[in-house]
Amino acid sequence: MAREQLGICAEANLHGDYLLLNALDGQESFIRQQLAQIPALLSQLADHFSEAMLTGVVAIGASYWDSLYPQARPAGLLPFPVLESSELLMPADSFDLLLQIRSDRQDVNYLVAQQVYQMLAPAVELVEQMRGFRYLDGRDLTGFIDAPEAVRGRKRRELALLTVEQEPQFAAGSYLHLQRFRHDIKRWQLLPVSAQQAIIGRNKADGDWLPLAQLEADCHSLCFYQDKDRKQPLPLLTQNMPFADLKQQGLLWLSCSADSTAFETLMRQRLGLNELAVDAYDRLLDYSQADLGAAFFAPSVSFLEQFERG
């Protein structure tokens, strides 16, 4: 039975580090060997720092997969979707590797990131390192609860992990999409709470839906559903974390899914390109602009070990 990477379905942590890497030419054999060792290292360090609740994920970029694992490719692994909208832009980037490290101790995150990067450093270049944190009681910097209806327990696995029936060779793997959004916090904070709630579609204090009569078709929260009645949420498990300093603030948005099409459906609905809300784009995008987007696949630990030697 395939073993998933534990960071995919883990519950929220206080701190997160995200390393985006590009591989040097001709280093595929070395990288395969190192990637196969990373889950064991994470497990060892998680035991050593048991109170930190350490987890991590290794994911391979859509454009790099065939170079690293030419034997087989996940059926739905595609580059980050490029969608045209006259009003909005969602950038599409390409990175070879994503390493996500999460725990309840920032010093542990730093130690793990340092060790993992040293393992790979001879064969990769670090393009971007991003750091997120848990804000208050799990809120975005807009002040609203992030994913107030997020699933728990076994349901997380059902959303995020492929089954043997879906893709036998990639069972316990997951399709990942990463975006970075920069918020215009000053403009957002000038809005009265009632206007903010209309944009999000939820009550700011507790995350409950606004009454149906007050719910706008272009509110942010409706974008995450496949129907206007809010009975079929998109099959996405999100692991979002704010990032901030006094100059810039935003959100690191990471989704995991067993459904390779779910993220593009969300994108279309946010941009007003879907029949659910034609021309009614997500109003939050007037205050939050994406400046990075990339697609990855996180294979199972079993897959990483099986193809360690190519």
Side-chain angles (χ1 to χ4, degrees), residues 18 130-133 135 138-142 144 146-147 178-183 185 220 224 238-244 248-254 270 284 288-292:
Y18 304 75
M130 302 177 291
R131 183 166 292 164
F133 60 92
Y135 181 59
R139 294 176 184 265
D140 178 32
L141 296 178
T142 59
F144 285 78
D146 184 74
L178 174 69
Q179 287 185 287
R180 180 175 62 195
F181 289 89
R182 296 191 186 274
H183 296 340
I185 289 293
H220 172 70
F224 293 82
T238 57
Q239 299 183 2
N240 306 334
M241 299 194 88
F243 69 90
Q248 57 184 4
Q249 302 83 31
L251 183 70
L252 299 173
W253 198 94
L254 182 69
R270 295 198 71 184
L284 181 60
S288 183
Q289 176 64 59
D291 70 350
L292 180 150

Side-chain angles (χ1 to χ4, degrees), residues 6-22:
L6 297 181
I8 295 174
C9 297
E11 299 288 349
N13 292 100
L14 298 180
H15 305 281
D17 281 73
Y18 304 75
L19 308 182
L20 292 169
L21 308 162
N22 281 339

Side-chain angles (χ1 to χ4, degrees), residues 10-249:
E11 299 288 349
N13 292 100
L14 298 180
H15 305 281
D17 281 73
Y18 304 75
L19 308 182
L20 292 169
L21 308 162
N22 281 339
L24 302 180
D25 292 340
Q27 296 295 320
E28 288 76 21
S29 177
F30 177 83
I31 291 173
R32 279 194 300 270
Q33 294 175 38
Q34 299 305 97
L35 292 185
Q37 303 303 316
I38 290 175
L41 173 65
L42 290 173
S43 179
Q44 177 186 347
L45 292 172
D47 288 342
H48 185 73
F49 299 105
S50 57
E51 79 289 353
M53 306 300 290
L54 171 68
T55 66
V57 176
V58 174
I60 295 89
S63 298
Y64 186 55
W65 181 276
D66 291 343
S67 297
L68 197 60
Y69 300 111
Q71 302 90 341
R73 181 182 180 89
L77 181 57
L78 299 171
F80 193 87
V82 177
L83 301 176
E84 295 184 2
S85 169
S86 58
E87 302 289 337
L88 302 159
L89 175 66
M90 290 280 195
D93 300 286
S94 178
F95 302 100
D96 294 341
L97 300 171
L98 165 66
L99 299 175
Q100 182 208 41
I101 301 161
R102 290 192 299 151
S103 81
D104 290 344
R105 287 178 52 179
Q106 185 58 61
D107 59 336
V108 171
N109 277 22
Y110 170 75
L111 182 149
V112 174
Q114 184 184 50
Q115 291 196 22
V116 171
Y117 182 58
Q118 286 177 348
M119 290 174 62
L120 293 166
V124 301
E125 61 174 353
L126 177 63
V127 181
E128 188 99 42
Q129 180 175 6
M130 302 177 291
R131 183 166 292 164
F133 60 92
R134 182 176 172 87
Y135 181 59
L136 301 177
D137 55 343
R139 294 176 184 265
D140 178 32
L141 296 178
T142 59
F144 285 78
I145 297 172
D146 184 74
E149 296 173 345
V151 298
R152 304 290 181 188
R154 184 185 297 261
K155 185 65 175 176
R156 298 172 72 86
R157 295 173 57 87
E158 294 174 3
L159 282 181
L161 300 177
L162 286 164
T163 64
V164 172
E165 291 74 23
Q166 289 171 309
E167 295 191 52
Q169 193 162 15
F170 297 104
S174 188
Y175 293 99
L176 271 60
H177 289 88
L178 174 69
Q179 287 185 287
R180 180 175 62 195
F181 289 89
R182 296 191 186 274
H183 296 340
D184 190 340
I185 289 293
K186 290 183 179 179
R187 285 182 59 230
W188 177 259
Q189 291 176 341
L190 290 174
L191 295 174
V193 170
S194 59
Q196 293 180 1
Q197 292 184 155
I199 291 171
I200 300 298
R202 293 181 181 272
N203 185 286
K204 191 170 186 178
D206 56 20
D208 287 346
W209 285 97
L210 294 182
L212 190 60
Q214 300 178 25
L215 207 57
E216 302 287 346
D218 55 1
C219 72
H220 172 70
S221 295
L222 278 182
C223 296
F224 293 82
Y225 285 78
Q226 302 179 64
D227 63 317
K228 295 180 180 180
D229 298 326
R230 304 180 316 218
K231 294 180 179 179
Q232 298 182 56
L234 287 168
L236 292 166
L237 178 64
T238 57
Q239 299 183 2
N240 306 334
M241 299 194 88
F243 69 90
D245 57 30
L246 294 181
K247 289 186 177 181
Q248 57 184 4
Q249 302 83 31

